[in-house]
Tab-separated table of all heavy atoms in Angstrom:
chain	number	residue	atom	x	y	z
J	29	MET	N	0.845	-1.185	-0.006
J	29	MET	CA	-0.004	0.007	0.001
J	29	MET	C	0.909	1.266	-0.003
J	29	MET	O	1.868	1.382	0.770
J	29	MET	CB	-0.859	-0.124	1.266
J	29	MET	CG	-1.929	0.961	1.324
J	29	MET	SD	-2.969	0.798	2.619
J	29	MET	CE	-4.036	-0.350	2.226
J	30	ASP	N	0.699	2.141	-0.892
J	30	ASP	CA	1.437	3.332	-0.918
J	30	ASP	C	0.886	4.386	-0.133
J	30	ASP	O	-0.280	4.386	0.337
J	30	ASP	CB	1.713	3.832	-2.406
J	30	ASP	CG	0.473	4.145	-3.109
J	30	ASP	OD1	-0.342	4.757	-2.486
J	30	ASP	OD2	0.280	3.742	-4.250
J	31	LEU	N	1.505	5.473	0.094
J	31	LEU	CA	1.243	6.594	0.929
J	31	LEU	C	-0.116	7.208	0.498
J	31	LEU	O	-0.921	7.585	1.407
J	31	LEU	CB	2.175	7.799	1.046
J	31	LEU	CG	1.995	8.998	1.796
J	31	LEU	CD1	1.768	8.551	3.299
J	31	LEU	CD2	3.056	9.938	1.707
J	32	ALA	N	-0.430	7.354	-0.720
J	32	ALA	CA	-1.758	7.853	-1.205
J	32	ALA	C	-2.878	7.116	-0.782
J	32	ALA	O	-3.974	7.676	-0.663
J	32	ALA	CB	-1.734	7.858	-2.814
J	33	HIS	N	-2.682	5.816	-0.358
J	33	HIS	CA	-3.935	5.051	-0.030
J	33	HIS	C	-3.926	4.848	1.549
J	33	HIS	O	-4.816	4.441	2.032
J	33	HIS	CB	-3.636	3.574	-0.452
J	33	HIS	CG	-3.846	3.470	-2.025
J	33	HIS	ND1	-2.690	3.384	-2.822
J	33	HIS	CD2	-5.027	3.452	-2.771
J	33	HIS	CE1	-3.305	3.247	-4.131
J	33	HIS	NE2	-4.576	3.472	-4.020
J	34	THR	N	-2.998	5.671	2.277
J	34	THR	CA	-3.037	5.615	3.646
J	34	THR	C	-3.399	6.921	4.359
J	34	THR	O	-3.714	6.939	5.427
J	34	THR	CB	-1.585	5.295	4.265
J	34	THR	OG1	-0.589	6.237	3.867
J	34	THR	CG2	-1.125	3.858	3.835
J	35	ILE	N	-3.354	7.958	3.447
J	35	ILE	CA	-3.817	9.352	4.059
J	35	ILE	C	-5.329	9.270	4.416
J	35	ILE	O	-6.082	8.883	3.644
J	35	ILE	CB	-3.605	10.397	3.024
J	35	ILE	CG1	-2.038	10.553	2.800
J	35	ILE	CG2	-4.072	11.711	3.427
J	35	ILE	CD1	-1.694	11.433	1.599
J	36	GLY	N	-5.516	9.775	5.575
J	36	GLY	CA	-6.933	9.843	6.212
J	36	GLY	C	-7.400	8.568	6.868
J	36	GLY	O	-8.556	8.579	7.359
J	37	ARG	N	-6.594	7.548	6.831
J	37	ARG	CA	-7.012	6.275	7.463
J	37	ARG	C	-6.482	6.199	8.891
J	37	ARG	O	-5.459	6.754	9.268
J	37	ARG	CB	-6.522	5.123	6.799
J	37	ARG	CG	-7.140	4.909	5.316
J	37	ARG	CD	-6.617	3.766	4.594
J	37	ARG	NE	-6.930	2.505	5.377
J	37	ARG	CZ	-6.362	1.432	5.101
J	37	ARG	NH1	-5.445	1.325	4.153
J	37	ARG	NH2	-6.673	0.404	5.843
J	38	GLU	N	-7.355	5.671	9.792
J	38	GLU	CA	-6.956	5.728	11.183
J	38	GLU	C	-5.725	4.604	11.370
J	38	GLU	O	-5.873	3.552	10.725
J	38	GLU	CB	-8.135	5.177	12.085
J	38	GLU	CG	-7.931	5.268	13.541
J	38	GLU	CD	-9.066	5.044	14.398
J	38	GLU	OE1	-10.086	5.726	13.994
J	38	GLU	OE2	-9.021	4.239	15.269
J	39	ARG	N	-4.822	4.877	12.130
J	39	ARG	CA	-3.679	4.009	12.436
J	39	ARG	C	-3.603	3.769	13.894
J	39	ARG	O	-3.784	4.727	14.748
J	39	ARG	CB	-2.416	4.534	11.762
J	39	ARG	CG	-2.548	4.690	10.280
J	39	ARG	CD	-2.266	3.392	9.740
J	39	ARG	NE	-2.187	3.578	8.238
J	39	ARG	CZ	-2.622	2.733	7.518
J	39	ARG	NH1	-3.089	1.568	7.853
J	39	ARG	NH2	-2.540	2.938	6.173
J	40	ASN	N	-3.126	2.613	14.187
J	40	ASN	CA	-2.666	2.407	15.733
J	40	ASN	C	-1.019	2.488	15.788
J	40	ASN	O	-0.378	2.002	14.825
J	40	ASN	CB	-3.021	1.015	16.101
J	40	ASN	CG	-4.497	0.841	16.248
J	40	ASN	OD1	-5.188	1.704	16.725
J	40	ASN	ND2	-5.106	-0.348	15.726
J	41	VAL	N	-0.661	3.243	16.754
J	41	VAL	CA	0.860	3.411	16.906
J	41	VAL	C	1.272	2.868	18.280
J	41	VAL	O	0.664	3.211	19.244
J	41	VAL	CB	1.188	4.908	16.710
J	41	VAL	CG1	2.585	5.183	16.886
J	41	VAL	CG2	0.744	5.441	15.438
J	42	VAL	N	2.330	2.146	18.277
J	42	VAL	CA	2.917	1.642	19.453
J	42	VAL	C	4.396	2.246	19.505
J	42	VAL	O	5.075	2.129	18.545
J	42	VAL	CB	3.027	0.113	19.449
J	42	VAL	CG1	3.763	-0.341	20.585
J	42	VAL	CG2	1.767	-0.530	19.367
J	43	TYR	N	4.560	2.999	20.608
J	43	TYR	CA	6.003	3.498	20.817
J	43	TYR	C	6.576	2.814	21.998
J	43	TYR	O	5.881	2.777	23.072
J	43	TYR	CB	5.793	5.129	21.083
J	43	TYR	CG	7.097	5.789	21.387
J	43	TYR	CD1	7.970	6.205	20.288
J	43	TYR	CD2	7.628	5.896	22.597
J	43	TYR	CE1	9.164	6.731	20.555
J	43	TYR	CE2	8.810	6.417	22.888
J	43	TYR	CZ	9.668	6.945	21.932
J	43	TYR	OH	10.751	7.534	22.155
J	44	SER	N	7.671	2.327	21.865
J	44	SER	CA	8.348	1.668	22.955
J	44	SER	C	9.844	1.874	22.983
J	44	SER	O	10.559	2.036	21.865
J	44	SER	CB	8.079	0.100	22.725
J	44	SER	OG	8.616	-0.635	23.750
J	45	VAL	N	10.400	1.852	24.056
J	45	VAL	CA	11.940	1.984	24.291
J	45	VAL	C	12.403	0.619	24.837
J	45	VAL	O	11.801	0.229	26.000
J	45	VAL	CB	12.205	3.061	25.283
J	45	VAL	CG1	13.838	3.175	25.484
J	45	VAL	CG2	11.695	4.451	24.644
J	46	VAL	N	13.193	-0.070	24.211
J	46	VAL	CA	13.734	-1.342	24.645
J	46	VAL	C	15.157	-1.336	24.524
J	46	VAL	O	15.789	-0.548	23.920
J	46	VAL	CB	13.148	-2.622	23.805
J	46	VAL	CG1	11.650	-2.605	23.940
J	46	VAL	CG2	13.523	-2.385	22.384
J	47	SER	N	15.845	-2.252	25.289
J	47	SER	CA	17.391	-2.293	25.286
J	47	SER	C	17.743	-2.819	23.841
J	47	SER	O	17.023	-3.390	23.133
J	47	SER	CB	17.781	-3.324	26.360
J	47	SER	OG	17.326	-4.573	26.024
J	48	GLY	N	19.082	-2.561	23.596
J	48	GLY	CA	19.634	-3.079	22.437
J	48	GLY	C	19.569	-4.490	22.213
J	48	GLY	O	19.354	-4.966	21.092
J	49	GLU	N	19.674	-5.243	23.261
J	49	GLU	CA	19.684	-6.672	23.157
J	49	GLU	C	18.170	-7.225	22.971
J	49	GLU	O	18.018	-8.272	22.388
J	49	GLU	CB	20.279	-7.370	24.249
J	49	GLU	CG	20.113	-6.829	25.682
J	49	GLU	CD	20.899	-7.488	26.849
J	49	GLU	OE1	22.115	-7.317	26.939
J	49	GLU	OE2	20.182	-8.133	27.656
J	50	ASP	N	17.246	-6.474	23.342
J	50	ASP	CA	15.889	-6.937	23.192
J	50	ASP	C	15.248	-6.428	21.861
J	50	ASP	O	14.210	-6.872	21.358
J	50	ASP	CB	14.948	-6.214	24.271
J	50	ASP	CG	15.113	-6.890	25.699
J	50	ASP	OD1	15.615	-8.084	25.575
J	50	ASP	OD2	14.763	-6.286	26.549
J	51	SER	N	15.908	-5.395	21.115
J	51	SER	CA	15.397	-4.903	19.990
J	51	SER	C	15.140	-5.985	18.860
J	51	SER	O	14.099	-5.911	18.161
J	51	SER	CB	16.257	-3.756	19.392
J	51	SER	OG	17.453	-4.117	19.056
J	52	LYS	N	16.058	-6.838	18.603
J	52	LYS	CA	16.013	-7.793	17.568
J	52	LYS	C	14.729	-8.746	17.879
J	52	LYS	O	13.981	-9.070	16.929
J	52	LYS	CB	17.157	-8.652	17.340
J	52	LYS	CG	18.278	-7.913	16.688
J	52	LYS	CD	19.580	-8.702	16.497
J	52	LYS	CE	20.663	-7.850	15.810
J	52	LYS	NZ	21.880	-8.654	15.648
J	53	ARG	N	14.591	-9.143	19.128
J	53	ARG	CA	13.435	-9.915	19.376
J	53	ARG	C	12.100	-9.186	19.322
J	53	ARG	O	11.182	-9.774	18.657
J	53	ARG	CB	13.663	-10.430	20.941
J	53	ARG	CG	12.521	-11.472	21.440
J	53	ARG	CD	12.961	-11.797	22.828
J	53	ARG	NE	13.098	-10.793	23.824
J	53	ARG	CZ	12.025	-10.182	24.502
J	53	ARG	NH1	10.826	-10.480	24.173
J	53	ARG	NH2	12.234	-9.166	25.191
J	54	VAL	N	12.045	-7.908	19.542
J	54	VAL	CA	10.708	-7.238	19.517
J	54	VAL	C	10.428	-7.049	18.046
J	54	VAL	O	9.375	-7.255	17.642
J	54	VAL	CB	10.951	-5.783	20.248
J	54	VAL	CG1	9.759	-4.906	19.937
J	54	VAL	CG2	11.046	-6.036	21.729
J	55	ILE	N	11.461	-6.716	17.117
J	55	ILE	CA	11.281	-6.466	15.768
J	55	ILE	C	10.788	-7.752	15.061
J	55	ILE	O	9.882	-7.786	14.296
J	55	ILE	CB	12.495	-5.935	15.114
J	55	ILE	CG1	12.777	-4.373	15.529
J	55	ILE	CG2	12.422	-5.919	13.597
J	55	ILE	CD1	14.044	-3.874	15.134
J	56	ALA	N	11.401	-8.906	15.495
J	56	ALA	CA	10.931	-10.142	14.974
J	56	ALA	C	9.484	-10.483	15.304
J	56	ALA	O	8.754	-11.028	14.409
J	56	ALA	CB	11.893	-11.234	15.399
J	57	ALA	N	9.105	-10.126	16.608
J	57	ALA	CA	7.774	-10.421	17.073
J	57	ALA	C	6.701	-9.555	16.251
J	57	ALA	O	5.690	-10.025	15.828
J	57	ALA	CB	7.641	-10.224	18.483
J	58	VAL	N	7.100	-8.297	15.960
J	58	VAL	CA	6.329	-7.400	15.189
J	58	VAL	C	6.105	-7.901	13.805
J	58	VAL	O	4.934	-7.953	13.339
J	58	VAL	CB	6.862	-5.911	15.216
J	58	VAL	CG1	6.105	-5.097	14.290
J	58	VAL	CG2	6.635	-5.335	16.641
J	59	LYS	N	7.083	-8.339	13.139
J	59	LYS	CA	7.144	-8.846	11.869
J	59	LYS	C	6.223	-10.089	11.706
J	59	LYS	O	5.412	-10.308	10.781
J	59	LYS	CB	8.540	-9.111	11.305
J	59	LYS	CG	9.315	-7.913	10.833
J	59	LYS	CD	10.759	-8.274	10.336
J	59	LYS	CE	11.501	-7.068	10.009
J	59	LYS	NZ	12.855	-7.401	9.560
J	60	LYS	N	6.305	-11.054	12.741
J	60	LYS	CA	5.617	-12.160	12.691
J	60	LYS	C	4.105	-11.893	12.844
J	60	LYS	O	3.193	-12.466	12.205
J	60	LYS	CB	5.968	-13.083	13.926
J	60	LYS	CG	5.299	-14.277	13.958
J	60	LYS	CD	5.771	-15.267	15.064
J	60	LYS	CE	5.049	-16.614	15.130
J	60	LYS	NZ	5.526	-17.473	16.191
J	61	THR	N	3.755	-10.828	13.827
J	61	THR	CA	2.421	-10.536	14.049
J	61	THR	C	1.834	-9.709	12.815
J	61	THR	O	0.603	-9.948	12.484
J	61	THR	CB	2.279	-9.581	15.313
J	61	THR	OG1	2.971	-10.325	16.385
J	61	THR	CG2	0.969	-9.227	15.675
J	62	ASP	N	2.574	-8.758	12.351
J	62	ASP	CA	1.998	-7.928	11.190
J	62	ASP	C	3.166	-7.785	10.170
J	62	ASP	O	4.017	-6.804	10.251
J	62	ASP	CB	1.535	-6.670	11.792
J	62	ASP	CG	0.941	-5.712	10.628
J	62	ASP	OD1	0.957	-6.101	9.432
J	62	ASP	OD2	0.534	-4.589	10.930
J	63	PRO	N	3.355	-8.597	9.229
J	63	PRO	CA	4.353	-8.458	8.166
J	63	PRO	C	4.468	-7.188	7.431
J	63	PRO	O	5.488	-6.785	6.983
J	63	PRO	CB	4.120	-9.688	7.253
J	63	PRO	CG	3.273	-10.664	7.888
J	63	PRO	CD	2.418	-9.876	8.964
J	64	GLY	N	3.291	-6.394	7.466
J	64	GLY	CA	3.143	-5.080	6.709
J	64	GLY	C	3.552	-4.023	7.636
J	64	GLY	O	3.252	-2.825	7.269
J	65	ALA	N	3.780	-4.333	8.881
J	65	ALA	CA	4.085	-3.178	9.844
J	65	ALA	C	5.204	-2.297	9.567
J	65	ALA	O	6.135	-2.761	8.928
J	65	ALA	CB	4.282	-3.783	11.254
J	66	PHE	N	5.158	-1.002	9.976
J	66	PHE	CA	6.234	-0.017	9.733
J	66	PHE	C	6.924	-0.024	11.068
J	66	PHE	O	6.347	0.304	12.107
J	66	PHE	CB	5.571	1.211	9.375
J	66	PHE	CG	6.668	2.390	9.306
J	66	PHE	CD1	7.352	2.566	8.125
J	66	PHE	CD2	6.935	3.245	10.321
J	66	PHE	CE1	8.384	3.486	7.990
J	66	PHE	CE2	7.902	4.262	10.169
J	66	PHE	CZ	8.517	4.347	8.973
J	67	VAL	N	8.273	-0.292	10.960
J	67	VAL	CA	9.085	-0.224	12.269
J	67	VAL	C	10.242	0.718	12.062
J	67	VAL	O	10.867	0.727	11.030
J	67	VAL	CB	9.658	-1.692	12.518
J	67	VAL	CG1	10.634	-1.472	13.740
J	67	VAL	CG2	8.505	-2.549	12.681
J	68	ASN	N	10.363	1.659	13.032
J	68	ASN	CA	11.565	2.658	12.898
J	68	ASN	C	12.294	2.426	14.206
J	68	ASN	O	11.928	2.674	15.280
J	68	ASN	CB	11.023	3.954	12.927
J	68	ASN	CG	12.028	5.211	12.794
J	68	ASN	OD1	13.174	4.842	12.463
J	68	ASN	ND2	11.760	6.371	13.266
J	69	ALA	N	13.486	1.699	14.001
J	69	ALA	CA	14.342	1.427	15.177
J	69	ALA	C	15.481	2.394	15.288
J	69	ALA	O	16.289	2.426	14.222
J	69	ALA	CB	14.807	0.046	15.051
J	70	ILE	N	15.604	3.162	16.247
J	70	ILE	CA	16.666	4.130	16.354
J	70	ILE	C	17.417	4.011	17.694
J	70	ILE	O	16.951	3.598	18.697
J	70	ILE	CB	16.162	5.678	16.246
J	70	ILE	CG1	15.021	5.859	17.423
J	70	ILE	CG2	15.477	5.861	14.982
J	70	ILE	CD1	14.553	7.318	17.368
J	71	ARG	N	18.784	4.299	17.670
J	71	ARG	CA	19.488	4.251	18.856
J	71	ARG	C	19.340	5.567	19.610
J	71	ARG	O	19.411	6.667	19.112
J	71	ARG	CB	21.021	4.085	18.425
J	71	ARG	CG	21.969	3.963	19.596
J	71	ARG	CD	23.294	3.775	19.167
J	71	ARG	NE	23.531	2.694	18.384
J	71	ARG	CZ	23.830	1.420	18.821
J	71	ARG	NH1	24.005	1.219	20.022
J	71	ARG	NH2	23.909	0.441	17.893
J	72	THR	N	19.040	5.483	20.836
J	72	THR	CA	18.769	6.647	21.783
J	72	THR	C	20.094	7.037	22.474
J	72	THR	O	20.712	6.149	23.096
J	72	THR	CB	17.667	6.281	22.874
J	72	THR	OG1	16.453	6.011	22.101
J	72	THR	CG2	17.420	7.522	23.680
J	73	GLU	N	20.430	8.303	22.235
J	73	GLU	CA	21.655	8.787	22.887
J	73	GLU	C	21.384	9.219	24.323
J	73	GLU	O	22.151	9.032	25.251
J	73	GLU	CB	22.164	9.965	22.130
J	73	GLU	CG	22.773	9.542	20.736
J	73	GLU	CD	23.972	8.725	20.798
J	73	GLU	OE1	24.706	8.834	21.710
J	73	GLU	OE2	24.081	7.827	19.890
J	74	GLN	N	20.272	9.782	24.585
J	74	GLN	CA	19.904	10.252	25.941
J	74	GLN	C	18.381	10.194	26.100
J	74	GLN	O	17.674	10.316	25.194
J	74	GLN	CB	20.295	11.687	26.145
J	74	GLN	CG	21.741	12.005	26.164
J	74	GLN	CD	22.083	13.425	26.382
J	74	GLN	OE1	21.332	14.207	26.091
J	74	GLN	NE2	23.297	13.642	26.916
J	75	LEU	N	17.989	9.895	27.316
J	75	LEU	CA	16.686	9.691	27.659
J	75	LEU	C	16.413	10.065	29.139
J	75	LEU	O	17.191	9.829	30.050
J	75	LEU	CB	16.166	8.188	27.608
J	75	LEU	CG	14.799	7.891	27.758
J	75	LEU	CD1	13.950	8.527	26.577
J	75	LEU	CD2	14.583	6.323	27.601
J	76	TYR	N	15.444	11.040	29.232
J	76	TYR	CA	15.283	11.599	30.613
J	76	TYR	C	13.820	11.343	31.042
J	76	TYR	O	12.920	11.164	30.232
J	76	TYR	CB	15.423	13.183	30.549
J	76	TYR	CG	16.850	13.599	30.184
J	76	TYR	CD1	17.230	13.925	29.014
J	76	TYR	CD2	17.908	13.610	31.095
J	76	TYR	CE1	18.506	14.300	28.676
J	76	TYR	CE2	19.047	13.983	30.775
J	76	TYR	CZ	19.420	14.311	29.594
J	76	TYR	OH	20.753	14.732	29.294
J	77	GLY	N	13.609	11.278	32.325
J	77	GLY	CA	12.190	11.117	32.853
J	77	GLY	C	12.225	9.876	33.659
J	77	GLY	O	13.035	8.973	33.644
J	78	ARG	N	10.925	9.742	34.366
J	78	ARG	CA	10.632	8.662	35.115
J	78	ARG	C	9.871	7.582	34.377
J	78	ARG	O	8.677	7.454	34.514
J	78	ARG	CB	9.782	9.066	36.375
J	78	ARG	CG	10.684	10.031	37.209
J	78	ARG	CD	9.958	10.507	38.441
J	78	ARG	NE	9.554	9.218	39.222
J	78	ARG	CZ	9.114	9.175	40.396
J	78	ARG	NH1	9.054	10.294	41.106
J	78	ARG	NH2	8.826	8.108	40.922
J	79	PHE	N	10.576	6.971	33.459
J	79	PHE	CA	9.896	6.047	32.571
J	79	PHE	C	10.015	4.512	32.974
J	79	PHE	O	9.245	3.721	32.508
J	79	PHE	CB	10.595	6.145	31.158
J	79	PHE	CG	11.979	5.678	31.272
J	79	PHE	CD1	12.473	4.393	31.092
J	79	PHE	CD2	13.036	6.661	31.408
J	79	PHE	CE1	13.841	4.145	31.105
J	79	PHE	CE2	14.426	6.528	31.581
J	79	PHE	CZ	14.735	5.116	31.344
J	80	TYR	N	10.709	4.376	33.967
J	80	TYR	CA	10.871	2.894	34.469
J	80	TYR	C	9.672	2.568	35.336
J	80	TYR	O	9.424	3.217	36.197
J	80	TYR	CB	12.171	2.557	35.096
J	80	TYR	CG	12.332	1.092	35.579
J	80	TYR	CD1	12.588	0.208	34.717
J	80	TYR	CD2	12.102	0.798	36.862
J	80	TYR	CE1	12.702	-1.194	35.118
J	80	TYR	CE2	12.141	-0.514	37.326
J	80	TYR	CZ	12.394	-1.447	36.418
J	80	TYR	OH	12.517	-2.832	36.810
J	81	GLN	N	9.017	1.349	35.051
J	81	GLN	CA	8.122	0.808	35.952
J	81	GLN	C	8.510	-0.601	36.334
J	81	GLN	O	8.733	-1.430	35.558
J	81	GLN	CB	6.684	0.797	35.219
J	81	GLN	CG	6.189	2.133	35.090
J	81	GLN	CD	4.772	2.155	34.413
J	81	GLN	OE1	4.158	1.003	34.208
J	81	GLN	NE2	4.155	3.287	34.145
J	82	ARG	N	8.562	-0.795	37.570
J	82	ARG	CA	8.951	-2.142	38.124
J	82	ARG	C	7.865	-3.122	37.734
J	82	ARG	O	6.689	-2.936	37.837
J	82	ARG	CB	9.140	-2.110	39.588
J	82	ARG	CG	9.606	-3.614	40.261
J	82	ARG	CD	9.925	-3.427	41.566
J	82	ARG	NE	11.240	-2.668	41.579
J	82	ARG	CZ	11.849	-2.131	42.586
J	82	ARG	NH1	11.160	-2.048	43.793
J	82	ARG	NH2	13.079	-1.545	42.496
J	83	PRO	N	8.245	-4.331	37.158
J	83	PRO	CA	7.325	-5.367	36.756
J	83	PRO	C	6.536	-5.854	37.957
J	83	PRO	O	6.908	-5.913	39.056
J	83	PRO	CB	8.133	-6.466	36.252
J	83	PRO	CG	9.542	-5.739	35.828
J	83	PRO	CD	9.620	-4.671	36.860
J	84	GLU	N	5.136	-6.047	37.545
J	84	GLU	CA	4.396	-6.628	38.717
J	84	GLU	C	4.734	-8.110	38.874
J	84	GLU	O	4.996	-8.822	38.009
J	84	GLU	CB	2.881	-6.460	38.283
J	84	GLU	CG	2.329	-5.056	38.114
J	84	GLU	CD	0.899	-4.878	37.765
J	84	GLU	OE1	0.175	-5.944	37.889
J	84	GLU	OE2	0.589	-3.893	37.338
J	85	GLU	N	4.612	-8.461	40.127
J	85	GLU	CA	4.912	-9.771	40.545
J	85	GLU	C	3.823	-10.760	40.281
J	85	GLU	O	2.726	-10.465	40.456
J	85	GLU	CB	5.342	-9.880	41.984
J	85	GLU	CG	6.501	-8.880	42.379
J	85	GLU	CD	7.873	-9.514	42.039
J	85	GLU	OE1	8.090	-10.614	41.975
J	85	GLU	OE2	8.746	-8.580	41.807
């Protein structure tokens, strides 16, 4: 599907920050779930804020 066919259509967006070692696993899972998904993987130089949440037991 090209850009002309996507304008005006509702999209779901998932934004996630994962470690370098987890990125390959996450990208593989996305591709398996949705082979047509758009993935933008970037290396983060700096990140600020209280973003960490301890996993629930």
Side-chain angles (χ1 to χ4, degrees):
M29 189 175 279
D30 60 44
L31 182 60
H33 292 101
T34 62
I35 295 174
R37 293 181 61 193
E38 186 173 316
R39 297 282 182 210
N40 293 316
V41 176
V42 176
Y43 178 82
S44 184
V45 178
V46 298
S47 70
E49 37 185 71
D50 286 339
S51 65
K52 288 183 181 179
R53 185 176 53 84
V54 170
I55 292 169
V58 169
K59 286 181 180 180
K60 181 177 180 183
T61 303
D62 182 357
F66 176 83
V67 176
N68 181 22
I70 58 174
R71 182 180 302 265
T72 302
E73 292 294 325
Q74 294 181 332
L75 186 63
Y76 297 98
R78 297 181 57 163
F79 59 89
Y80 179 79
Q81 293 182 0
R82 181 169 285 162
E84 294 182 14
E85 304 281 333

